[in-house]
């Protein structure tokens, strides 16, 4: 077999019948586009979700919330978590570090002529170490601030830029619902969370100030406990559940009026949420490749019918069946490889188009395309070409010269 002549014949034929070549490659390009684009975006989104979970629910921490928790639709029981519950849990389970959370929701905040609606939340001085977020400017709460119910505040970077454009907010005064607060520091930036909320558009104040001076409530929204031994997190979470049920006098069979969340439970929820998604993404890509294989099969069948006399003449002049089969398969593979490259380029265009949207909505700054995804997409394209081209190639190879030349 003259290989240079074979490749020359393949490319000349594909160029001569450009429309057929484009139609054969179109489905493959769409399949590669779907594979690369969906896998890149879904993989990046899952990495973003995991990073959020690991920050919000570290592996050595246990979060207890009043009511049914962040995923529950039932608003009952939100006022069930008291400081006495927290102190009892800490003393009976051996936990030495914990930080409460009191959520005030969106409040009117102003400084000078600037007015905003900002989420206000209460924490203790231990939030810096328990929640792994410090200040990038100024200083954090002190124990005296919390005990004295001081009107001091830590503000997020977005809030700082909007309320204090062009100036340092540290030491300045702002008003929350017309109550004056002194800014002690600017919090480290967290960006946009998985729900598209700006985590830097926030104000934190001592939880005691929020509970006693502003909201006048006797409960906390949640508390984060730090279990020194990561291996005992699940065991301690069960102890916490037992203590809370006893304190709240919840009978056996009755539903808890609180929620205990660990990193493991959040990862399980994450995996359950993305399980269906991880099934459908490959299924969509596989469907696109299957359809393109059928298109290639149909086009090649029609092409073989139009080339019967040519095939018969070549076989009469001594061409082997394997030579004809190789040429036809090679034509399909060349189309598949070129179409896969086009699909990868289109996927990159799609990624560049989606990147600003995902950055704004979910805080995803970079969409990563693993190299293995590109390899799988190209091999899937070649497999698609083979699936659609082998049968027509075998049919052509089996033609008898006499019958083909009639």
């Amino acid at each position: 077999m003259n290989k240079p002549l074979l490749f020359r014949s393949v490319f000349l034929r594909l160029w001569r019948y450009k429309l057929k070549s484009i139609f054969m490659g179109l489905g493959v390009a769409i399949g590669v586009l779907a594979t690369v684009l969906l896998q890149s975006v879904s993989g990046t989104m899952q990495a973003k979700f995991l990073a959020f979970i690991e920050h919000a629910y570290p592996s050595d921490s246990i979060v207890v919330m009043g009511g049914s928790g962040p995923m529950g639709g039932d608003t009952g029981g939100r006022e069930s978590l008291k400081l006495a519950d927290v102190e009892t849990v800490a003393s009976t389970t051996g936990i030495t570090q914990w930080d409460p959370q009191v959520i005030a929701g969106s409040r009117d905040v102003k400084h000078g002529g600037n007015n905003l609606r900002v989420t206000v939340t209460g924490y203790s001085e231990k939030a810096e170490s328990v929640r792994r977020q410090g200040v990038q400017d100024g200083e954090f709460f002190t124990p005296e601030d919390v005990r004295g119910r001081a009107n001091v505040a830590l503000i997020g970077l977005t809030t700082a830029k909007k309320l204090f454009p062009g100036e340092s907010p540290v030491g300045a005064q702002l008003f929350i619902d017309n109550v004056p607060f002194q800014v002690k520091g600017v919090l480290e930036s967290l960006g946009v969370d998985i729900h598209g909320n700006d985590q830097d558009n926030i104000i934190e104040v001592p939880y005691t100030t929020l509970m006693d001076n502003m909201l006048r409530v006797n409960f906390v929204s949640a508390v984060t406990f730090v279990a020194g031994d990561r291996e005992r997190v699940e065991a301690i979470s069960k102890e916490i559940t037992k203590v809370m049920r006893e304190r709240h006098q919840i009978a056996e069979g009755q539903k808890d009026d609180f929620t205990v969340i660990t990193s493991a439970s959040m990862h399980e929820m994450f995996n359950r949420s993305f399980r269906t998604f991880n099934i459908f993404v490959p299924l969509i890509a596989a469907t696109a490749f299957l359809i393109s294989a059928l298109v290639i099969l149909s086009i090649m069948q029609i092409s073989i019918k139009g080339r019967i006399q040519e095939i018969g003449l070549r076989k009469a002049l001594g061409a082997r069946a394997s030579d004809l089969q190789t040429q036809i398969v090679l034509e399909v593979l060349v189309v598949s490889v070129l179409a896969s490259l086009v699909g990868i380029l289109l996927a990159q265009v799609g990624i560049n188009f989606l990147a600003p949207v995902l950055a704004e909505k979910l805080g995803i700054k970079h969409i990563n395309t693993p190299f293995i995804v590109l390899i799988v997409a190209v091999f899937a394209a070649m497999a698609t070409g083979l699936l659609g081209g082998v049968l027509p190639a075998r049919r052509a190879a089996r033609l008898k010269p006499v019958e083909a030349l009639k």
Side-chain angles (χ1 to χ4, degrees):
M1 180 189 299
N2 189 327
K3 292 183 179 179
L5 180 61
L6 174 64
F7 279 98
R8 184 168 175 270
S9 299
V10 167
F11 283 103
L12 282 174
R13 183 164 190 86
L14 293 177
W15 180 254
R16 182 179 300 172
Y17 297 99
K18 293 186 284 292
L19 191 59
K20 288 182 180 179
S21 301
I22 290 172
F23 275 116
M24 283 196 298
L26 185 60
V28 175
I30 293 174
V32 172
L33 168 64
T35 301
V36 176
L37 186 60
L38 291 176
Q39 289 288 356
S40 299
V41 173
S42 66
T44 304
M45 287 180 62
Q46 290 183 55
K48 174 71 175 180
F49 272 67
L50 281 174
F52 174 80
I53 289 173
E54 289 168 4
H55 180 269
Y57 305 95
S59 58
D60 62 346
S61 299
I62 302 167
V63 178
V64 180
M65 296 182 171
S68 55
M71 301 300 178
D74 184 9
T75 59
R78 295 290 173 87
E79 302 178 3
S80 63
L81 187 59
K82 305 294 194 295
L83 282 175
D85 296 329
V86 177
E87 292 167 354
T88 301
V89 166
S91 62
T92 56
T93 57
I95 290 174
T96 58
Q97 197 172 23
W98 51 272
D99 177 58
Q101 179 189 53
V102 179
I103 300 175
S106 295
R107 299 282 165 162
D108 291 318
V109 179
K110 62 182 179 180
H111 167 75
N114 299 316
N115 297 275
L116 296 175
R117 290 286 291 180
V118 183
T119 300
V120 178
T121 310
Y123 294 111
S124 74
E125 76 281 359
K126 296 177 183 177
E128 185 174 17
S129 58
V130 172
R131 301 180 185 278
R132 280 77 164 176
Q133 184 188 20
V135 293
Q136 64 182 37
D137 191 16
E139 60 181 17
F140 211 82
F141 299 138
T142 64
E144 290 74 22
D145 292 332
V146 177
R147 284 196 300 267
R149 294 160 177 76
N151 282 14
V152 292
L154 304 174
I155 64 176
L157 187 60
T158 301
T159 306
K161 290 179 178 179
K162 291 181 178 179
L163 283 180
F164 303 90
E167 60 177 301
S168 173
V170 178
Q173 189 180 68
L174 56 78
F175 291 85
I176 303 175
D177 288 348
N178 294 320
V179 178
F181 282 78
Q182 183 184 27
V183 179
K184 289 202 73 172
V186 178
L187 293 162
E188 293 173 341
S189 178
L190 294 179
V192 180
D193 67 11
I194 57 177
H195 304 293
N197 300 317
D198 186 357
Q199 298 179 92
D200 297 326
N201 189 29
I202 189 173
I203 294 179
E204 296 181 3
V205 301
Y207 78 95
T208 50
T209 304
L210 207 54
M211 287 180 66
D212 298 338
N213 296 350
M214 296 187 67
L215 301 180
R216 301 189 184 281
V217 296
N218 64 347
F219 62 90
V220 295
S221 306
V223 60
T224 300
F225 296 102
V226 177
D229 186 0
R230 296 185 180 185
E231 301 297 326
R232 294 197 63 243
V233 167
E234 293 303 318
I236 293 175
S237 69
K238 293 179 181 177
E239 293 178 28
I240 291 174
T241 301
K242 181 180 178 182
V243 172
M244 289 290 293
R245 287 182 65 88
E246 289 175 354
R247 284 191 55 83
H248 291 195
Q249 299 179 347
I250 300 174
E252 186 176 353
Q254 288 185 328
K255 187 178 178 180
D256 294 338
D257 60 357
F258 60 91
T259 304
V260 179
I261 302 173
T262 64
S263 177
S265 64
M266 288 304 296
H267 276 84
E268 183 181 350
M269 187 182 300
F270 166 82
N271 292 330
R272 189 165 56 248
S273 300
F274 274 92
R275 191 172 295 135
T276 303
F277 192 73
N278 289 333
I279 292 173
F280 273 99
V281 168
L283 189 61
I284 291 171
T287 302
F289 281 123
L290 180 60
I291 293 173
S292 64
L294 295 176
V295 171
I296 291 173
L297 177 62
S298 301
I299 292 175
M300 290 305 296
Q301 291 279 31
I302 296 172
S303 177
I304 294 301
K305 286 183 179 179
R307 297 165 64 179
I308 287 179
Q309 290 187 342
E310 173 198 335
I311 293 170
L313 180 61
R314 290 180 62 183
K315 294 193 77 172
L317 294 174
R320 295 176 298 179
S322 59
D323 296 339
L324 294 170
Q325 189 169 338
T326 300
Q327 178 179 344
I328 294 171
V329 170
L330 195 57
E331 288 175 8
V332 177
L333 285 179
V334 169
V335 170
S336 299
V337 172
L338 293 176
S340 66
L341 296 178
V342 172
I344 290 172
L345 290 176
L346 291 175
Q348 189 58 52
V349 172
I351 288 172
N352 292 338
F353 176 77
L354 289 174
V357 179
L358 293 177
E360 180 183 355
K361 300 297 183 182
L362 298 176
I364 296 175
K365 297 179 180 179
H366 303 286
I367 300 177
N368 299 316
T369 302
F371 186 69
I372 187 64
V373 171
L374 301 179
I375 297 297
V376 169
V378 172
F379 272 97
M382 294 175 66
T384 300
L386 287 173
L387 187 63
V390 167
L391 288 178
R394 286 183 176 179
R395 180 190 172 193
R398 286 197 299 264
L399 285 173
K400 295 180 180 180
V402 175
E403 294 178 358
L405 288 171
K406 285 183 180 179

